[in-house]
């Protein structure tokens, strides 16, 4: 019987699928590009609208990212592990795509760090029916098909040749795609980095590898480097002791505080207190895992590095060495390494927190503080309260029902299922609860006003995007982060015996400050002086002459924003 050439070709083509893993890898590549890269192509189309003139370059970009993804998968999938690696990438890509598409986030090292530090309660809030459906349709089902139909590698030599040919052809194709549009690619790569960050799963994989590398590079047994070793306590032994509560806010944006001009009355209680509202404060990062350790370190935003921060003393260490009793109470995930050497109490469960109604409330962190203060009667004290605040996306869970003033409020973590007004209402209600909590902190401190130098400092760790520019939540790369994520509220209240008063600092309420200023502000609040603060900002001056100096000022001097710590001082 004569052989049919077409039949031979057909059999040969089918044999490739039966004997080589390359076609399966390429099919998975195409599937992920079609189902998991909506954010990437949305960003590309925003830069280069779909017009006849742009079609050639848009086609080139689509093929470019597809080819890069194919090369990546060809490089990481080998032998018996191929089917499992491909299945894993399908599942991860489906979930990454969900969060990028629905919240506009970027899966970088900061976001991965947030995920790794998310507790079970917070994680449960991120699990939605849409995420589950997306994972099943675009992750689990295709992954099961890959596990079932990916051929086993029967001939290593032939498989290596097939992969080699595929990689060579991919390189040639990339060159052919780039050369005709070299100017376009140069502009795209140089000016539109944030769009490239949405490439799924390549950038996600790069971020995971980088994050793991960073974790291994952090030594667990390093010697703790000293900070502000020259610190000197200036406070006379006969003076009243300091009692300061610092509230570390969570996910609060400055433009949602009515104290900063927001049209809704979200701060009705704080408005009645004699506070200094700092309207121009910038966060060190866009996530808790960066901002919290950064604000307590002496490094500052420009020099902040997670490893460096963990390997040196922070402001709590410096204060403790100078006789200040430190207590950290946490109703959030944890202190992010800041309070590892301090007394730490977890208020996320009813074990410590007596106010838990489905979710433990921030107000519960005030419980038992009277007993703590009584046991440290003759000591300076700093009590840090780390809020749950406005942690998203389930803003409606962050406050008791009686604080749901703005209605209707979004009742789901699936923010895109709610109208913009409903999202705003839920978020603003949570701000209203923070207003109540801070007012209660002030009332608590007033009880001790005759016996201590009392003060409250509130600073939020970062802000939040609520749908502006299609972005939700936070943790955007700082270089491109919108102001909604970096402009944070900060408030200072001072008791009658505190060294400085609201009228002294009022002229500086609109000056530019940042998390970088927290270190020296706390140091000076306890009347501790160090050369570490000579070149740094701080809300408070470095000596006791602030009152007489500010008293001679009618208005802040014009010019670039500076802190009081940078102003000329007389010697004590």
């Amino acid at each position: 019987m004569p052989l049919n050439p077409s039949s031979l070709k057909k059999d040969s083509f089918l044999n490739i699928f039966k004997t080589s893993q390359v076609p399966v890898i390429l099919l998975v590549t195409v599937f992920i590009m079609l189902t998991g890269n909506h954010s990437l192509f949305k960003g590309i189309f925003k830069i280069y609208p779909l017009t006849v003139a742009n079609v050639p370059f848009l086609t080139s970009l689509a093929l470019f990212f597809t080819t890069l993804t194919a090369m990546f998968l060809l490089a990481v999938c080998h032998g018996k592990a191929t089917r499992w690696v491909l299945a894993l990438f399908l599942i991860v890509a489906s979930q990454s795509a969900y969060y990028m598409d629905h919240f506009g986030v970027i899966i970088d090292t900061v976001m991965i760090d947030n995920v790794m530090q998310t507790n079970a309660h917070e994680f449960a809030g991120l699990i939605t029916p849409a995420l589950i459906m997306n994972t099943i349709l675009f992750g689990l089902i295709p992954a099961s098909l890959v596990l079932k139909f990916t051929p086993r590698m029967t001939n290593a030599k032939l498989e290596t040749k097939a992969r080699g040919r595929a990689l060579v052809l991919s390189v040639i194709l990339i060159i052919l795609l780039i050369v005709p549009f070299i100017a376009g690619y140069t502009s795209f790569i140089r000016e539109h980095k944030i769009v490239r960050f949405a490439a799924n799963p390549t950038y996600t994989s790069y971020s995971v590898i980088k994050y793991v590398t960073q974790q291994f590079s952090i030594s667990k047994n390093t010697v703790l480097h000293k900070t502000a070793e020259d610190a000197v306590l200036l406070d006379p032994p006969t003076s009243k002791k300091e009692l300061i509560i610092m509230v570390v806010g969570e996910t609060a944006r400055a433009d949602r505080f009515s104290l900063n001009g927001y049209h809704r009355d979200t701060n009705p209680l704080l408005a009645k207190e004699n506070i200094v509202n700092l309207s121009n404060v910038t966060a060190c990062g866009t996530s808790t895992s960066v901002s919290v350790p950064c604000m307590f370190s002496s490094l500052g935003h420009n020099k902040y590095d997670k490893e460096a921060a963990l390997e040196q003393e922070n402001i709590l260490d410096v204060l403790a060495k100078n006789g200040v009793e430190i207590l950290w109470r946490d109703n959030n995930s944890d202190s992010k390494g800041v309070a590892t050497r301090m007394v730490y109490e977890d208020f996320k469960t009813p074990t410590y927190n007596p106010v838990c109604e489905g979710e433990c409330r921030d107000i519960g962190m005030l419980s038992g503080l009277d007993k703590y203060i009584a046991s440290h009667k003759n000591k300076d004290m700093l009590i840090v309260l780390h809020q749950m605040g406005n942690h998203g996306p389930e803003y409606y869970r962050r406050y008791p029902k009686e604080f749901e003033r703005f209605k209707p409020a979004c009742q789901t973590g699936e923010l895109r299922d709610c109208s913009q007004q409903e999202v705003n209402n839920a978020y603003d209600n949570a701000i209203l609860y923070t207003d109540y909590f801070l007012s209660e902190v002030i009332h608590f401190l007033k009880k001790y006003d005759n016996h201590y130098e009392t003060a409250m400092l509130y600073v939020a760790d970062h802000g939040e995007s609520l749908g502006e520019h299609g972005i939700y939540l936070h943790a955007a790369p700082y270089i491109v982060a919108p102001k909604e994520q970096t402009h944070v509220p900060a408030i200072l209240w001072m008791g009658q015996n505190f060294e400085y008063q609201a009228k002294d600092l009022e002229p500086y309420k609109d000056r530019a400050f940042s998390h970088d200023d927290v270190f020296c502000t706390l140091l000076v609040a306890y009347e501790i002086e160090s050369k570490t603060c000579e070149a740094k900002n701080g809300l408070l001056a470095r000596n006791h002459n602030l009152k007489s100096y500010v008293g001679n000022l009618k208005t802040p001097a014009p010019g670039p924003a500076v802190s009081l710590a940078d102003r000329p001082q007389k010697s004590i």
Side-chain angles (χ1 to χ4, degrees):
M1 181 177 179
L3 295 174
N4 187 335
S6 62
S7 178
L8 284 175
K9 291 180 180 179
K10 182 178 180 181
D11 290 341
S12 177
F13 181 74
L14 292 175
N15 282 334
I16 293 175
F17 277 89
K18 293 178 180 179
T19 60
S20 175
Q21 298 173 338
V22 172
V24 176
I25 293 173
L26 297 180
L27 284 174
V28 169
T29 298
V30 173
F31 181 82
I32 290 177
M33 293 306 297
L34 291 174
T35 63
N37 279 275
H38 173 74
S39 292
L40 171 65
F41 291 114
K42 180 181 178 181
I44 290 174
F45 285 134
K46 189 173 181 179
I47 301 167
Y48 309 103
L50 187 58
T51 62
V52 174
N54 286 338
V55 165
F57 184 54
L58 289 171
T59 303
S60 176
L61 280 174
L63 293 174
F64 173 80
F65 280 105
T66 302
T67 306
L68 281 182
T69 303
M71 293 176 68
F72 170 71
L73 293 179
L74 284 167
V76 299
C77 296
H78 297 283
K80 296 179 180 179
T82 295
R83 66 182 63 210
W84 296 103
V85 174
L86 289 176
L88 177 63
F89 272 112
L90 283 164
I91 295 171
V92 171
S94 68
Q95 296 189 331
S96 298
Y98 170 82
Y99 287 110
M100 287 192 290
D101 295 346
H102 283 71
F103 299 114
V105 301
I106 296 296
I107 313 298
D108 60 359
T109 54
V110 174
M111 183 60 69
I112 293 171
D113 193 40
N114 285 337
V115 172
M116 296 304 295
Q117 298 193 45
T118 297
N119 59 40
H121 180 71
E122 293 171 343
F123 183 74
L126 295 171
I127 304 300
T128 64
L131 170 63
I132 295 172
M133 185 61 66
N134 203 77
T135 303
I136 292 173
L137 290 179
F138 302 122
L140 293 175
I141 292 177
S144 65
L145 294 175
V146 164
L147 291 174
K148 182 176 181 180
F149 293 109
T150 300
R152 298 183 182 277
M153 192 172 65
T154 56
N155 190 316
K157 186 176 180 179
L158 289 177
E159 182 66 23
T160 301
K161 285 184 177 180
R163 298 205 179 203
R165 285 195 297 268
L167 287 170
V168 170
L169 288 173
S170 296
V171 172
I172 294 173
L173 178 58
I174 284 180
I175 293 172
L176 293 176
L177 290 170
I178 292 177
V179 170
F181 306 100
I182 189 70
Y185 275 94
T186 300
S187 173
F188 179 75
I189 293 172
R190 189 178 291 171
E191 300 177 19
H192 303 292
K193 182 183 292 187
I194 189 66
V195 176
R196 293 186 283 115
F197 288 171
N200 186 21
T202 50
Y203 188 75
T204 301
S205 302
Y206 164 77
S207 298
V208 170
I209 294 170
K210 184 177 179 181
Y211 177 78
V212 172
T213 302
Q214 289 175 345
Q215 298 312 299
F216 276 110
S217 69
I218 298 176
S219 173
K220 304 302 180 184
N221 299 306
T222 54
V223 177
L224 193 66
H225 299 299
K226 303 296 182 183
T227 301
E229 291 184 86
D230 64 331
V232 177
L233 180 63
L234 303 177
D235 198 18
T238 56
S239 67
K240 286 182 168 60
K241 298 300 182 181
E242 276 84 7
L243 171 58
I244 299 175
I245 294 181
M246 178 176 179
V247 179
V248 179
E250 172 65 37
T251 322
R253 43 192 276 181
D255 65 356
R256 291 307 176 95
F257 272 47
S258 54
L259 292 171
N260 291 320
Y262 187 45
H263 68 278
R264 281 177 162 174
D265 189 11
T266 53
N267 304 125
L269 298 177
L270 285 174
K272 298 176 183 178
E273 302 292 344
N274 187 26
I275 61 169
V276 178
N277 174 60
L278 304 175
S279 65
N280 192 11
V281 179
T282 303
C284 186
T286 61
S287 68
T288 305
S289 62
V290 172
S291 285
V292 171
C294 183
M295 78 165 76
F296 283 90
S297 79
S298 63
L299 295 171
H301 168 72
N302 292 333
K303 295 182 179 179
Y304 176 76
D305 173 80
K306 182 178 180 179
E307 182 177 356
L310 290 174
E311 292 178 355
Q312 74 170 43
E313 293 177 332
N314 57 51
I315 184 60
L316 301 188
D317 296 299
V318 177
L319 293 176
K321 286 192 301 183
N322 284 274
V324 180
E325 294 292 329
I326 308 292
L327 172 64
W328 184 292
R329 289 187 163 187
D330 208 298
N331 194 36
N332 202 294
S333 49
D334 56 49
S335 73
K336 308 306 178 187
V338 174
T340 53
R341 295 171 292 280
M342 306 298 149
V343 177
Y344 177 93
E345 295 177 348
D346 185 351
F347 271 71
K348 297 185 295 297
T349 68
T351 303
Y352 277 108
N353 196 329
V355 189
C356 294
E357 39 192 43
E359 175 168 300
C360 291
R361 300 299 178 196
D362 292 333
I363 195 66
M365 289 191 286
L366 295 179
S367 176
L369 280 185
D370 290 312
K371 184 178 179 180
Y372 175 83
I373 294 171
S375 65
H376 299 85
K377 192 172 182 180
N378 298 314
K379 295 279 190 177
D380 290 323
M381 286 172 272
L382 172 63
I383 300 168
V384 182
L385 306 179
H386 188 193
Q387 280 187 278
M388 175 58 77
N390 277 57
H391 196 290
E394 295 180 308
Y395 309 118
Y396 69 99
R397 294 187 184 275
R398 305 289 94 93
Y399 54 86
K401 279 297 180 182
E402 58 265 30
F403 284 86
E404 195 164 276
R405 175 183 300 178
F406 308 112
K407 300 178 180 181
C410 182
Q411 300 293 318
T412 175
E414 191 66 51
L415 299 180
R416 289 183 181 271
D417 288 348
C418 297
S419 68
Q420 185 63 58
Q421 190 60 58
E422 289 171 332
V423 173
N424 289 339
N425 289 345
Y427 186 86
D428 291 348
N429 288 330
I431 294 290
L432 194 66
Y433 183 66
T434 287
D435 174 75
Y436 162 73
F437 172 62
L438 295 179
S439 71
E440 288 298 301
V441 172
I442 293 172
H443 291 158
F444 175 85
L445 286 169
K446 285 179 179 179
K447 295 188 304 182
Y448 295 94
D449 211 14
N450 291 328
H451 306 289
Y452 290 90
E453 293 185 28
T454 57
M456 181 199 76
L457 173 63
Y458 164 78
V459 186
D461 60 351
H462 55 78
E464 185 86 323
S465 289
L466 297 173
E468 299 88 357
H469 317 294
I471 302 173
Y472 291 87
L473 305 182
H474 51 269
Y478 199 90
I479 192 172
V480 294
K483 65 179 181 179
E484 290 83 8
Q485 295 188 30
T486 58
H487 184 200
V488 295
I491 292 167
L492 186 64
W493 173 87
M494 293 150 290
Q496 63 183 7
N497 292 316
F498 198 69
E499 183 70 16
Y500 316 111
Q501 293 297 301
K503 61 183 177 60
D504 299 327
L505 302 179
E506 187 67 20
Y508 300 92
K509 63 185 180 63
D510 297 322
R511 288 297 181 99
F513 292 102
S514 74
H515 282 169
D516 294 5
D517 304 326
V518 170
F519 186 98
C520 290
T521 294
L522 286 175
L523 203 64
V524 175
Y526 287 90
E527 299 176 64
I528 298 172
E529 189 171 71
S530 169
K531 290 182 179 179
T532 303
C533 292
E534 286 184 353
K536 289 181 177 292
N537 288 347
L539 176 60
L540 307 178
R542 285 195 300 272
N543 63 46
H544 298 282
N545 292 308
L546 172 69
K547 291 180 181 178
S548 60
Y549 176 72
V550 176
N552 294 325
L553 286 176
K554 293 183 178 179
T555 58
V562 296
S563 74
L564 300 189
D566 293 328
R567 294 190 170 276
Q569 304 291 331
K570 298 177 182 178
S571 60
I572 296 175

